[in-house]
Amino acid sequence: MALDFAAGCLGGAAGVLVGHPFDTVKVRLQVQNPDKPRYRGTFHCFQSIIKQESAYGLYKGIGSPMMGLTFINAIVFGVQGNAMRYLARDTPLNQFLAGAAAGAVQCVICCPMELAKTRMQLQGTGELQVKSKVYKNSLDCLIRIYRKQGIRGINKGMVTTIVRELPGFGFYFLTYDCLTRALNCEPDDSLIIPKLLFAGGMSGIASWLSTYPVDVIKSRLQADGVGGVNQYNGIWDCIRQSYQKEGWQVFTRGLTSTLLRAFPVNATTFATVTLFLMTARAEESCKELEPAPAIQQPSSL
């Protein structure tokens, strides 16, 4: 159990460093004004942010996911590992159920974290040096929202987060399990690392494709109210207004950036987690096989 949590922490940190710039682009595209769009597409958004805000602009709001996602991944991999042990049988259905359970549990942290990340990513859009800095950092953002709106405020978008995470993490772990089995990923395989990277990357893509329209609505709801103006009265009102103004294409807004991000992030995350667990468990097995000394020496600690 401890190994599952530790592996999740390492995998989460590695994934955030690789994928945050893509996430910033995704959020900017998802919430931009359709009447006066600032960005023409994914690559134009990348270029504009770097040109107008420097490369640092791509890492706005990284504090929230770096703090949150490392802990979230610890929860996800810890819960998923324990759920599989509880379910006993390693079947595709149980892999999906264990993943869904992990997704549900981590929503408590994921929703406020993504709210802060979204608000920070939108702060100072198009400015090299942010002139009107509402929030100092991710923690300050959550504190200010809590003071104004309470618990309800920092959990804005919770329903859409749950609707996204349950099936998303179910497909995430199911896809990874199926691919690693199909690729015959064994510890002594000389191609184990590229196989794990491929399986992890494809798992991330499968997860996002299964729930992406929900993520668009979640981002719009969490961005609503920035600048003091509330546009939506709830989930269904957000869906209705978005569809009426922009058509069905609105539910794929930012998908290219998301998929570009999904592969390297989840390839890095899953490979880090799997290799860490393989190494740690191999060392544990070696220790169990070592003969105990005749006289136990006192610990130096």
Side-chain angles (χ1 to χ4, degrees):
M1 181 175 176
L3 287 177
D4 290 332
F5 280 93
C9 277
L10 288 174
V16 171
L17 288 172
V18 171
H20 192 76
F22 295 98
D23 188 71
T24 299
V25 172
K26 179 203 75 168
V27 171
R28 294 280 183 93
L29 290 171
Q30 285 179 334
V31 305
Q32 71 174 340
N33 188 338
D35 299 322
K36 296 179 180 179
R38 180 182 290 271
Y39 311 114
R40 294 192 297 271
T42 298
F43 296 105
H44 180 248
C45 185
F46 262 112
Q47 292 172 346
S48 298
I49 292 173
I50 293 172
K51 183 178 179 180
Q52 297 168 359
E53 305 169 45
S54 79
Y56 172 76
L58 293 170
Y59 283 92
K60 283 182 176 177
I62 195 173
S64 177
M66 185 56 77
M67 289 186 297
L69 274 178
T70 51
F71 188 52
I72 283 173
N73 267 29
I75 293 174
V76 166
F77 284 93
V79 171
Q80 194 270 347
N82 279 283
M84 284 302 297
R85 282 187 281 273
Y86 175 79
L87 293 170
R89 295 181 60 201
D90 187 359
T91 65
L93 176 60
N94 285 349
Q95 285 285 349
F96 183 90
L97 293 175
V105 171
Q106 57 90 46
C107 283
V108 178
I109 300 169
C110 177
C111 181
M113 180 209 74
E114 291 197 356
L115 175 65
K117 174 183 67 67
T118 299
R119 297 291 176 92
M120 290 295 293
Q121 285 171 325
L122 296 176
Q123 184 168 255
T125 299
E127 298 177 5
L128 180 58
Q129 292 184 338
V130 183
K131 298 172 184 176
S132 54
K133 211 170 192 180
V134 180
Y135 311 115
K136 296 176 184 177
N137 50 50
S138 300
L139 182 59
D140 179 59
C141 176
L142 289 176
I143 290 172
R144 286 175 177 269
I145 293 172
Y146 176 77
R147 285 174 178 171
K148 286 184 178 180
Q149 303 170 39
I151 293 293
R152 186 186 180 102
I154 63 173
N155 284 298
K156 189 173 186 178
M158 179 63 79
V159 173
T160 45
T161 301
I162 293 172
V163 172
R164 182 193 69 180
E165 300 295 66
L166 261 73
F169 273 96
F171 284 113
Y172 187 52
F173 284 97
L174 173 61
T175 304
Y176 187 71
D177 180 67
C178 291
L179 285 175
T180 50
R181 289 178 187 274
L183 294 170
N184 194 28
C185 296
E186 297 295 336
D188 57 351
D189 189 344
S190 61
L191 296 175
I192 183 67
I193 292 178
K195 286 181 178 181
L196 291 176
L197 289 170
F198 177 76
M202 294 307 296
S203 299
I205 288 176
S207 175
W208 275 111
L209 287 175
S210 68
T211 59
Y212 191 76
V214 182
D215 185 68
V216 174
I217 299 304
K218 180 201 71 68
S219 292
R220 292 194 165 209
L221 288 172
Q222 290 186 327
D224 195 33
V226 173
V229 179
N230 288 293
Q231 185 178 352
Y232 309 116
N233 293 322
I235 297 172
W236 293 113
D237 184 52
C238 180
I239 295 172
R240 181 182 60 80
Q241 286 194 46
S242 299
Y243 179 75
Q244 286 180 349
K245 288 183 179 179
E246 303 167 65
W248 65 267
Q249 294 92 337
V250 68
F251 302 113
T252 61
R253 182 74 59 78
L255 181 59
T256 302
S257 172
T258 301
L259 296 182
L260 285 173
R261 168 181 175 266
F263 191 94
V265 167
N266 293 288
T268 304
T269 299
F270 257 125
T272 301
V273 169
T274 305
L275 291 172
F276 175 84
L277 290 175
M278 281 182 177
T279 304
R281 285 168 181 164
E283 289 179 358
E284 279 189 348
S285 298
C286 290
K287 288 179 181 178
E288 288 175 2
L289 293 173
E290 289 176 358
I295 300 176
Q296 295 292 335
Q297 299 295 325
S299 172
S300 59
L301 300 175

